[in-house]
Amino acid sequence: MQAANEAYYAKGDPLGAKGDFITAPEVSQMFGELIGLWLTDLWIRAGRPQDCKYVELGPGRGTLAADALRSMKQFDFAPEVYFVETSAALREMQARAVPDANFLSNVGDLPFDVPMFIIANEFFDALPIRQLIATHAGWRERVVVRDRGTKFMATPGMTAMDELVPADFRNGPSPTIYETCPAATSIMYDLAGRIAEQGGAMLIADYGYTLPGIGSTLQAVRAHEFADPFENPGEHDLTAHVNFDELGNLARMRQLHVSGPIEQGVWLKALGIDSRLQVLAAKQPERTDELSSARDRLVEATGMGSLFKILAISNPDWPIPEGFEINQSLG
């Protein structure tokens, strides 16, 4: 999965109507603008620290950052920007969107001595997963082997993996699948530790599940349609659902405050997306239908509103982030 995605993202821009998929920032400027206002509110209530940094993991075209930073600048909040990105092709687009951005290849290279506001929109879903499968001989790791031509297939490996499966799922019948994402665990634990030591907050927007479960969530998308993940590797986007329960627990291990996860639609409405829609429509009445359609795609259950979740973690000495009510939590 890692090798295929590295090849895929190295080829160019996968986003938009002519690409393979579209993300929330590309649907509407309202998404990035509201994130910018959310960050600004937290910054103001934290006492306006002047040395904090804006960090985005896998920033796509840089659209979210450009929209968020534009909103933040209205309140004299203009932090230095860091993008964690490995694709040279995407870095070129990001540099055009945010010319002053600093580029890094690993989260370990981020500054160690300042508060950070970290955004991860559809970042964790692209990290490589590990799948364990129940067989008649016990639990084994699913490994990828060549089938024929450009086709690959998944098959159980030889090494016993029973001890890596949680007790609640260990007695599952063949071919039960249990997924983990070691890369997500490592990155989240590292960044949570940074926030605990340095201050700041992190916002995660992605699709995933809020309680531990079983089953494969690996999927491939090409030209906005689902494809076979094991066919033509490097030609389509490979993703898997994010385990929000684990991400939240990793932050709690670092003694951080955890907000959410809640549905994206609920969160955006709490932040005032409908008010922002009215303002934009009043300025450009000819775009009212377009803007309303974009709002619905971001908020409603028929679009991204329910599938996508929002999770925030923050330093316990900082203010509690807005938009999260206890009775809205799905965790």
Side-chain angles (χ1 to χ4, degrees), residues 2-238:
Q2 179 174 339
N5 274 347
E6 285 178 352
Y8 173 76
Y9 283 104
K11 294 193 305 180
D13 182 12
L15 298 166
K18 296 182 180 180
D20 293 325
F21 60 93
I22 190 167
T23 60
E26 304 299 332
V27 171
S28 172
Q29 68 188 75
M30 293 183 285
F31 186 78
E33 289 173 344
L34 289 175
I35 287 179
L37 294 176
W38 181 84
L39 293 170
T40 301
D41 170 77
L42 189 58
W43 173 71
I44 291 174
R45 290 189 290 123
R48 300 174 184 261
Q50 295 302 306
D51 57 349
C52 57
K53 310 298 183 186
Y54 175 98
V55 177
E56 191 167 342
L57 312 180
R61 292 173 171 169
T63 305
L64 190 159
D67 291 337
L69 292 165
R70 185 177 62 252
S71 293
M72 295 156 64
K73 192 174 182 179
Q74 298 178 44
F75 299 89
D76 297 321
F77 183 26
E80 188 176 11
V81 176
Y82 285 84
F83 286 161
V84 179
E85 178 62 69
T86 57
S87 167
L90 289 176
R91 281 189 178 193
E92 289 184 10
M93 286 181 285
Q94 293 157 10
R96 290 194 293 269
V98 185
D100 296 330
N102 300 286
F103 288 95
L104 303 174
S105 297
N106 301 289
V107 296
D109 296 329
L110 289 166
F112 276 91
D113 56 349
V114 293
M116 294 190 293
F117 291 94
I118 305 170
I119 305 298
N121 178 62
E122 293 198 52
F123 169 77
F124 284 99
D125 67 81
L127 297 179
I129 58 168
R130 185 181 199 183
Q131 289 186 342
L132 306 181
I133 184 169
T135 72
H136 297 296
W139 285 87
R140 301 289 187 267
E141 181 172 12
R142 288 186 93 198
V143 297
V144 179
V145 298
R146 184 178 293 278
D147 185 3
R148 56 186 180 277
T150 60
K151 176 77 173 178
F152 290 79
M153 62 180 293
T155 188
M158 299 299 293
T159 305
M161 294 287 177
D162 300 68
E163 295 302 318
L164 297 182
V165 180
D168 291 346
F169 306 131
R170 202 168 294 164
N171 293 326
S174 174
T176 299
I177 291 175
Y178 175 72
E179 273 183 3
T180 64
C181 185
T185 299
S186 175
I187 291 172
M188 186 66 177
Y189 191 71
D190 181 11
L191 293 178
R194 297 289 205 93
I195 292 172
E197 296 174 4
Q198 300 169 214
M202 180 177 182
L203 183 76
I204 300 168
D206 224 315
Y207 52 88
Y209 48 97
T210 58
L211 294 173
I214 56 176
S216 173
T217 70
L218 177 66
Q219 63 185 34
V221 175
R222 183 177 177 84
H224 302 272
E225 299 288 342
F226 289 111
D228 184 343
F230 298 105
E231 190 169 358
N232 299 317
E235 295 297 320
H236 42 227
D237 181 43
L238 292 181

